[in-house]
Short mmCIF file of all heavy atoms in Angstrom, two decimals:
data_model
loop_
_atom_site.label_atom_id
_atom_site.label_comp_id
_atom_site.label_asym_id
_atom_site.label_seq_id
_atom_site.Cartn_x
_atom_site.Cartn_y
_atom_site.Cartn_z
N ALA B 117 23.11 33.70 -39.06
CA ALA B 117 22.21 34.84 -39.26
C ALA B 117 22.60 35.62 -40.52
O ALA B 117 21.75 35.99 -41.33
CB ALA B 117 22.22 35.75 -38.04
N GLU B 118 23.88 35.87 -40.67
CA GLU B 118 24.36 36.61 -41.85
C GLU B 118 24.01 35.88 -43.13
O GLU B 118 23.70 36.50 -44.13
CB GLU B 118 25.87 36.79 -41.78
CG GLU B 118 26.43 38.15 -41.51
CD GLU B 118 25.62 39.35 -41.91
OE1 GLU B 118 25.51 39.68 -43.11
OE2 GLU B 118 25.11 40.02 -41.02
N GLY B 119 24.07 34.57 -43.09
CA GLY B 119 23.74 33.76 -44.27
C GLY B 119 22.30 33.89 -44.71
O GLY B 119 21.96 33.56 -45.85
N GLN B 120 21.43 34.36 -43.83
CA GLN B 120 20.01 34.52 -44.14
C GLN B 120 19.63 35.95 -44.49
O GLN B 120 18.51 36.21 -44.92
CB GLN B 120 19.16 34.05 -42.95
CG GLN B 120 19.30 32.58 -42.64
CD GLN B 120 18.89 31.71 -43.80
OE1 GLN B 120 17.84 31.90 -44.40
NE2 GLN B 120 19.73 30.75 -44.15
N ARG B 121 20.56 36.87 -44.31
CA ARG B 121 20.25 38.30 -44.46
C ARG B 121 19.67 38.65 -45.84
O ARG B 121 18.61 39.27 -45.93
CB ARG B 121 21.47 39.16 -44.19
CG ARG B 121 21.18 40.66 -44.35
CD ARG B 121 22.43 41.51 -44.25
NE ARG B 121 23.08 41.40 -42.98
CZ ARG B 121 22.74 42.10 -41.88
NH1 ARG B 121 21.72 42.92 -41.92
NH2 ARG B 121 23.41 41.94 -40.76
N ASP B 122 20.35 38.28 -46.90
CA ASP B 122 19.91 38.67 -48.24
C ASP B 122 18.52 38.11 -48.57
O ASP B 122 17.65 38.83 -49.06
CB ASP B 122 20.91 38.23 -49.31
CG ASP B 122 22.19 39.04 -49.28
OD1 ASP B 122 22.21 40.13 -48.66
OD2 ASP B 122 23.19 38.59 -49.87
N ALA B 123 18.32 36.83 -48.29
CA ALA B 123 17.01 36.22 -48.57
C ALA B 123 15.92 36.88 -47.73
O ALA B 123 14.81 37.13 -48.22
CB ALA B 123 17.06 34.72 -48.29
N PHE B 124 16.22 37.19 -46.49
CA PHE B 124 15.26 37.85 -45.60
C PHE B 124 14.88 39.23 -46.15
O PHE B 124 13.70 39.57 -46.25
CB PHE B 124 15.85 37.97 -44.19
CG PHE B 124 14.97 38.72 -43.23
CD1 PHE B 124 13.83 38.13 -42.71
CD2 PHE B 124 15.30 40.00 -42.84
CE1 PHE B 124 13.02 38.81 -41.81
CE2 PHE B 124 14.49 40.70 -41.95
CZ PHE B 124 13.36 40.10 -41.43
N GLU B 125 15.88 40.01 -46.52
CA GLU B 125 15.61 41.35 -47.03
C GLU B 125 14.83 41.31 -48.34
O GLU B 125 13.90 42.10 -48.54
CB GLU B 125 16.92 42.13 -47.18
CG GLU B 125 17.53 42.49 -45.84
CD GLU B 125 18.89 43.18 -45.94
OE1 GLU B 125 19.46 43.26 -47.06
OE2 GLU B 125 19.39 43.63 -44.90
N ARG B 126 15.16 40.38 -49.22
CA ARG B 126 14.42 40.24 -50.49
C ARG B 126 12.96 39.85 -50.22
O ARG B 126 12.05 40.38 -50.84
CB ARG B 126 15.09 39.22 -51.41
CG ARG B 126 16.32 39.72 -52.13
CD ARG B 126 16.77 38.77 -53.24
NE ARG B 126 16.92 37.40 -52.81
CZ ARG B 126 18.01 36.87 -52.26
NH1 ARG B 126 19.07 37.61 -52.08
NH2 ARG B 126 18.05 35.60 -51.90
N ALA B 127 12.76 38.91 -49.32
CA ALA B 127 11.40 38.46 -49.01
C ALA B 127 10.57 39.57 -48.38
O ALA B 127 9.39 39.72 -48.69
CB ALA B 127 11.45 37.23 -48.10
N CYS B 128 11.19 40.36 -47.51
CA CYS B 128 10.46 41.48 -46.90
C CYS B 128 10.09 42.52 -47.95
O CYS B 128 8.96 43.02 -47.97
CB CYS B 128 11.30 42.12 -45.80
SG CYS B 128 11.46 41.11 -44.31
#
Side-chain angles (χ1 to χ4, degrees):
E118 251 333 287
Q120 296 300 312
R121 180 188 298 277
D122 289 343
F124 176 74
E125 290 176 352
R126 282 192 308 274
C128 288

